[in-house]
Amino acid sequence: MIRVLLVDDQPLLRSGFRALLDLEDDIEVVAEAADGKEGLALAKEHLPDVALIDIRMPVIDGIEATRLIAADPALAGVHVVILTNYGLDEYVFNALRAGAAGFLVKDIVPEDFLHAVRVAARGDALLAPSITRKLINRYVTQPLHTGADTGLEGLTNRELEAVALVAQGLSNDQIAARMVISPVTAKTHINRAMTKLHARDRAQLVVFAYESGLVSPSNR
């Protein structure tokens, strides 16, 4: 059973999300919060698999709530998916850097929303296509970081290849096919890279890949 925490300051939206999630046999809404501070407290109390968090809220906003969840070792199993009406680059970038596993706009169709919850619960990165394009466009206008302290030197060639493919949005099965290895081996390369780079999840691998210069927009 996937346990979900809803954090949004609009009661009507929370009710809509809950009604949709409650229809699923494998998903359970364990708590609701109206701001980030309350959401953080409920995350500690219920330890949900997925926290769906609005980005603009009173008291503590979604980005700060995500940062606090990601910084707490006791909440390592909580995967944050940011929800917003705004597909703005600065929010995408800051949310991912804060530790969000995904970023979805609220006009997403129900089927994709439910899929997003399940993907996040598995620990996979999740970005709406429109948000991914905005994220990549941000890097087009920024110099890429390079240098000896990127952490890349600690990765094997196969781990570097796997990280680059994660940053291109490929699934484990697709990465396995591209690298001509089994999906289990692909997952092993990715997990080892995450451990070496101290990445919380695949979403942070994507950010690291672009910031370090391992992948550039032209590689996509």
Side-chain angles (χ1 to χ4, degrees), residues 141-215:
T141 61
Q142 291 185 344
L144 295 173
H145 301 291
T146 57
D149 59 348
T150 63
L152 293 179
E153 64 277 3
L155 302 186
T156 66
N157 289 337
R158 295 299 262 173
E159 289 165 356
L160 285 170
E161 185 178 357
V163 171
L165 293 173
V166 168
Q168 293 178 42
L170 274 62
S171 68
N172 284 354
D173 287 344
Q174 292 170 323
I175 291 172
R178 186 76 67 86
M179 295 178 66
V180 196
I181 55 178
S182 72
V184 172
T185 302
K187 185 175 182 179
T188 297
H189 287 320
I190 294 166
N191 288 342
R192 286 177 178 170
M194 287 173 59
T195 298
K196 292 178 180 180
L197 297 174
H198 306 291
R200 177 181 170 89
D201 51 34
R202 292 168 72 105
Q204 288 201 322
L205 273 188
V206 173
V207 173
F208 181 88
Y210 282 95
E211 284 193 322
S212 67
L214 175 63
V215 174

Side-chain angles (χ1 to χ4, degrees), residues 24-184:
E24 302 302 303
D25 294 334
D26 62 333
I27 300 175
E28 174 190 10
V29 177
V30 295
E32 296 182 30
D35 61 64
K37 182 178 181 180
E38 183 184 8
L40 178 62
L42 289 174
K44 293 178 179 179
E45 178 181 350
H46 294 279
L47 298 178
D49 300 301
V50 178
L52 299 172
I53 300 181
D54 184 28
I55 206 163
R56 289 188 174 182
M57 293 183 296
V59 188
I60 294 179
D61 65 20
I63 292 175
E64 182 60 20
T66 298
R67 185 175 292 111
L68 292 171
I69 288 174
D72 189 338
L75 301 179
V78 179
H79 305 290
V80 175
V81 174
I82 291 289
L83 298 169
T84 186
N85 290 319
Y86 312 94
L88 302 181
D89 302 58
E90 61 184 286
Y91 294 128
V92 178
F93 185 73
N94 291 336
L96 291 176
R97 283 191 62 94
F103 193 107
L104 296 173
V105 289
K106 292 181 180 179
D107 61 357
I108 187 172
V109 298
E111 293 79 8
D112 289 344
F113 173 71
L114 294 172
H115 175 69
V117 171
R118 295 185 174 100
V119 168
R122 294 199 303 264
D124 291 339
L126 179 76
L127 294 173
S130 60
I131 299 302
T132 301
R133 287 193 296 272
K134 288 180 178 294
L135 180 63
I136 301 311
N137 287 339
R138 179 184 180 95
Y139 283 100
V140 171
T141 61
Q142 291 185 344
L144 295 173
H145 301 291
T146 57
D149 59 348
T150 63
L152 293 179
E153 64 277 3
L155 302 186
T156 66
N157 289 337
R158 295 299 262 173
E159 289 165 356
L160 285 170
E161 185 178 357
V163 171
L165 293 173
V166 168
Q168 293 178 42
L170 274 62
S171 68
N172 284 354
D173 287 344
Q174 292 170 323
I175 291 172
R178 186 76 67 86
M179 295 178 66
V180 196
I181 55 178
S182 72
V184 172

